[in-house]
Each structure stands twice: as C-alpha cells, then as structure tokens.
Amino acid sequence: MPELIRNGVAIDDTFAEAFGMRATGIVITADTPEWAHQAAVTMTGFATSVIASGCEAGIDSELAPSETPDARPGIRVLLFAVSTGALETQLQMRVGQCILTCPGTACYAGITGEEQIKLGAAIRFFGDGWQIAKRLGARRFWRIPVMDGEFVCEEKTGLTKAAVGGGNLLIMGRDRLSTLHAAEAAVAAIAAVPGVIMPFPGGIVRSGSKVGSKYKALPASTNHAYCPTLKGRVDSALTPDVGSVLEIVIDGLTDEAVRAGMQAGLAALCALGAESGLVRIGAGNYGGKLGKFQYHLAELAP
Amino acid sequence: MSALVFTLKEQPPQRCDLSPLTPDRLAATRDIARLEIQTTKRRLCAGDLFALSGDDASDVRFEGGSERFDGLGAGMSQGRIAVIGDIGQQLGRGMSGGMLLVNGSAGRLAGSGMSGGRIDVEGDVGDLAGAPLPGEPSGMRGGILRIKGRAGARAGDRMRRGLIVVEGAAGEAVASRMIGGTIVCFGPAGPRPGYLMQRGTIILGHGADGLTPTFVDSGVHELVAMRLIARWLIDEGIEGGSLLAHTMRRLVGDTAVLGKGEILVPPEPAGLAGPAA
C-alpha cells in the first residue's frame, strides 16, 4: 500500500471515529471583548471531556457588536454532551456559576435547533422574586437584578441532535516542542472553522486515552501504543523516529463542520512539512465498531 | 386577484358593526353586499353603504371611513385591512393576527384585548387603547399597537403582554393597572402614569408628570434591556426606537399594589413634577 506523503509528512491510511452527540450554544456579550472572553473561558475551562467533566465546551467564534442582540462585543460558546438531560444540566450550571457571576455580561440563545432547552428559564430564580420577564416579539428574556445592575438572559436556546463529537487528529513529531508548535498551528486553522470547538486545553490533549484499564475502576487509560517512552516495550504504533504525539479533538454542530475542521487541521500540518519536525499524522478509532461517523484522512488530506 | 375594496357611498345613518368584514370571514362569504352591519333594528347591509370591487379577501381596503364604524378587524387572524378615513370604537378588538392600517383616527378601545397581529393608526386614538371591556380580567395579550398621533386616557389599561407605541402625546393614567408588556410613549404623558400597575414596562420619553407618591425612584441605570427594546422597535419598523437611550431613570411601582413594574424616563431632569394634585 503506497504511503500518502505530503511535504515529507506521512499520512496514515486510517480514519477518525466520531459519535453522535447533543449540542447547544449561547452568545455571551459584555462591555468589552476582554470581559466576554473572560466569561467564556471561565465557563468552558473545566469542560474538556464527557468522561469526567460533564460536557465538552469551547469557544466557537468572536462576534462584533453588529452581530449580537444587544450590539455589544460577544462570543459564541458551544456545549456538547451525550444526552439532552446532561446537556441542559451542564448549560444551566455553567451559566449560573460562570456567566451570571461575571461583570457586565448578558446571555442569549446561540443556536436554533429542532428543540429548545431552558436557559434563563432556569437561572431566573436567582432573582428571588424580583426577576422580570420581557417578551419582545417571538423571543423572551429574563432580567435578573444583580449587584452591578441586571443580568439579561434569554429564556431558551436551541438544541441539536445532529452534533458530532470525537473528530480527531494524532500529530506525531520528532520531539515534544516541535510537535507542540505543529499542533498549535493546526488549532489556529481549526478555530477559524465555524460551528466547531476543540474542548481540550488550548485545543490539544497530550494524554490521549484508550478504552479500558487494568484497574477495574478506570473507564479509560493512557493510549500506550502512542506513548513514546514505551516504544519497544509495548506493541507500539510508533516508528522509532517519533518522539512525541499530541492529539486534537474536534466537536462540531454537524458532520460537515467536523469534516471541515479536520480538513483545515490537516492542511495546516501538511503546509508545515517535515522540516518542522513533523513525522506522521494519524487518527484514533475503535475499528469502526462504536461511532457512526468516520473521517478518512486520505479523503481529507490536501 | 385584486384587492377587495369597499368604497363609502354615504355617511352611515347609524353606528355600524363592521366585524363581519375581516379577511377570515369575507373569504367564507359568498354575497358580501348582503352582510348585515346594523346595530339598530333598521337593517343595513354592506352593499347599502359601500360600493364593492375586487375579490382578494386577504387584502381588504376601505376608501372612506367614519367614526361610526365600530369593531373593524375584530377577531381577525390573518390578512390585511387598510382604511383611508376615520374609524370608530374597538378597532381590531380581539385580533390575533394580520395587519390593520388606519390612515385616520380611531375611537376608544382601539386594539382592545388583541392577542397578536399589528395595528397602525396614523392619527389619534381615543381612550382605553388596548384595554379590556368591563368584566374582563386583562386587556391586550400580544401583538403590536402603534399610534402615530395621540392617545386618550388610560392607553394600555390592564395590558398583559405585547407592545403599544404612542408617538404623540398620551392622556392621563397611561398603562393603568398594567399586568405586563411594554408601552412606549415618545410624546408627553398625562398625570398618574402606571396607576396601580403590577408589572410591565412603561417608557416615557418626556418624563413622568404627576407621578403618584407610591412610585419610588431607584436611580439612574444603564440597562441592557433598553438596547433590546430599542432594537426590537427598529426591527418592527418603528424608527423611534433609535431615539431610545440605554441609560434611564427607573421609577418602580405601583407599590400600592404588587409594585414590580417600572416607568423608565430620561435621567434628567432629576426633579420630577410632584405627586398628582
């Protein structure tokens, strides 16, 4: 099987296996872009994996004042979970703990979807009876009195069941720092794709996992086949020239969005080429047995 | 299909009930000229007062109106009625959808109990715009009532939801007994605005004169909600929305009852005219 090589970088003949998820989105506005950003990173910080964070969340895009309901600077955040109930709970908890609390913010529906879930409708009770509902046309907002004025929060936001989570790229390089620089470039390219997030820190996970463990209590453990210090000692997927591996996980509102994200990431990595320290690009899957969606690298490579 | 036009032949000899002449009901009527519109024992049919032309019941026009024409657009749920001339009482009474345009003035109870749709009046309206009839627990429940001229007393009485915009002056006790919704007055309003209001929002572009002493001044606030209201007005084609400031003085009341309503006025002058005489 002839190997696929771009700019000296080998692209594995494999696919990323991804799963259907439920997703929602909100738009956070504030007095300045910096405060909107602060609210967004606080809300999405501890939301890297559904394994133990409850949901996966991240920033989709920044919005200019002309693009937000109240004409203030804004950020669109997306959340992904395995079930509608989990998604609703996580959304309300995070908005209540991280957006309500952040100075000057307001919160609005971020996506339209087949269904709606409660947003301000759950947060309003914080007003202790002093909250005000305001229906403007088809949209309803809650105004909750808080110490800096009012927290305005739209009553509901959309829910989509067409979301996909777990698109991924495995970036294999000669050493840790050059692999990291390559992953950063891929993250920047994927961040520009609308409707996707990369839930891990800075978009990158250094501790890619496999299902199962020798310890009965653990659902997942280190993906030993991709650990460079175990080369030769385990049944390794790595070739001797690979010194470090990083993974980027992509969640998107639609199959097409994840596909576009993977394509953008691959293009950025191939543009860097082997001289950057990149050796191979791969992807993680479960043999196609678990997930409904597959993203074949050979189809997506530039 | 051309617009269904009612051209007034002569002034009506009695008050008329024009409620059969809505797009909903006209579409289901074969002989429109024989529709009865009298309110006394003297029979009066549509064909007696109006010359009829056209056939599109979803686009109804009245060339010539009268302040004896009551109940125009009552209960309509779709389509469009446009009037060139004045109209009497209960314009759009209980309307739930569609568009009602009056190029003239309307009498009292315009938009009474409406739950949806849009009414635009180029001229003035009488007292009790949007208000309930005696015995009804609430007035307007939705939709938009826009008055480009003046409103009489108690515009928005017992309003529950929806939007009323008065671009001219409003009479006394605007939004009396308000339950919810939003009313915006760009012109001056008479004394005792928000009298016995429970909840809801009254925006008075000229400040609150003759405010009852049961309202409290919570000070000046920069409100995100004002941005949303302004934006909504502009989206609905009400250009005055762009004049609404985001920083307003918030008068909370009416504390004689539930007192969770608000009257928003421009921040200055800080001194408001005192309690009603």
Side-chain angles (χ1 to χ4, degrees), chain A residues 29 31 66 68-72 104-106 108 128-132 134-138 141 143 150 152, chain B residues 161-162 180-182 199-201 221-225 227-229 231-232 236 246 250 258-260 262 264:
Chain A
T29 65
D31 298 302
S66 57
T68 61
D70 59 14
R72 303 189 312 161
T105 62
Y108 305 101
D128 204 25
W130 298 103
Q131 63 272 17
I132 294 170
K134 188 51 70 185
R135 176 173 283 283
L136 305 178
F141 304 90
R143 295 163 53 188
E150 283 186 341
V152 173
Chain B
R161 199 182 293 123
T182 307
R199 300 180 197 268
T201 301
H221 309 279
E222 199 248 314
L223 295 171
V224 169
R227 293 170 170 265
L228 298 176
I229 292 170
R231 169 80 173 269
W232 180 42
E236 293 292 344
H246 306 149
R250 186 165 188 261
L258 186 61
K260 290 186 176 178
E262 61 185 358
L264 301 173

Side-chain angles (χ1 to χ4, degrees), chain B residues 5-17:
Chain B
V5 183
F6 293 76
T7 305
L8 188 62
K9 295 194 285 199
E10 60 192 39
Q11 284 299 305
Q14 53 173 298
R15 295 201 79 88
C16 301
D17 173 12

